[in-house]
């Protein structure tokens, strides 16, 4: 059974950092693209970053230079290190999987989703 579980969200002050984790079970992360998406209150869900062992890493312009995506194949886990957080980063963050051929942040290509983890950036 394919399952993705996000963790690591919380409340942080502007300028602070958080590291989100996406733990996978039922399949091997290394064979797929893993994407991070977020949905802020009243807004549509948007792509943040994705990683593929065969292609590399991709970041949305809004997070480039502040967020870093990585993976630990031994733990079957993908991470999203978020630095210099801003209030506009406040959202529920989701991880999801897609086929390697669907590398990118087109949400319609992602088949399995986690339940999300809340990130709140506020003073």
């Amino acid at each position: 059974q394919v399952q993705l579980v996000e963790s690591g969200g919380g409340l942080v002050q502007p300028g602070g950092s958080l590291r989100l984790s996406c733990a996978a079970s039922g399949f091997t992360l290394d064979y797929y693209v893993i994407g991070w998406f977020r949905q802020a209150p009243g807004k549509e869900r948007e792509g943040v970053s994705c990683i593929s062992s065969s292609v590399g890493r991709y970041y949305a312009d809004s997070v480039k230079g502040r967020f870093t995506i990585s993976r630990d194949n031994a733990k079957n886990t993908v991470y999203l290190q978020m630095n210099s957080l801003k209030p506009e980063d406040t959202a529920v963050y989701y991880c999801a999987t897609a086929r390697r051929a669907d590398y990118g942040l087109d949400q319609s290509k992602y088949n399995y989703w986690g339940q999300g983890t809340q990130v709140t950036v506020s003073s």
Side-chain angles (χ1 to χ4, degrees):
Q1 180 181 357
V2 174
Q3 189 173 17
L4 296 169
V5 179
E6 303 96 333
S7 61
L11 173 64
V12 63
Q13 293 186 343
S17 298
L18 282 174
R19 189 178 79 157
L20 305 184
S21 299
C22 173
S25 60
F27 70 104
T28 302
L29 276 178
D30 195 35
Y31 298 156
Y32 295 87
V33 177
I34 305 302
W36 283 98
F37 298 83
R38 66 186 182 186
Q39 187 166 21
K43 295 187 177 181
E44 293 189 355
R45 190 166 57 192
E46 63 176 359
V48 175
S49 181
C50 65
I51 186 169
S52 167
S53 60
S54 60
V55 180
R57 298 170 174 83
Y58 178 85
Y59 299 94
D61 288 342
S62 58
V63 305
K64 201 171 295 183
R66 300 188 298 123
F67 290 10
T68 302
I69 192 169
S70 62
R71 69 199 306 157
D72 184 334
N73 291 335
K75 295 183 178 180
N76 216 29
T77 299
V78 170
Y79 303 99
L80 186 68
Q81 178 67 44
M82 307 187 296
N83 298 330
S84 302
L85 283 163
K86 306 175 181 179
E88 50 263 44
D89 294 317
T90 295
V92 177
Y93 284 71
Y94 301 89
C95 64
T97 69
R99 299 180 307 149
R100 281 181 170 176
D102 294 324
Y103 177 80
L105 293 176
D106 180 350
Q107 297 183 46
S108 68
K109 304 297 186 182
Y110 285 77
N111 302 309
Y112 295 98
W113 294 77
Q115 83 289 347
T117 185
Q118 176 70 48
V119 171
T120 303
V121 185
S122 175
S123 55

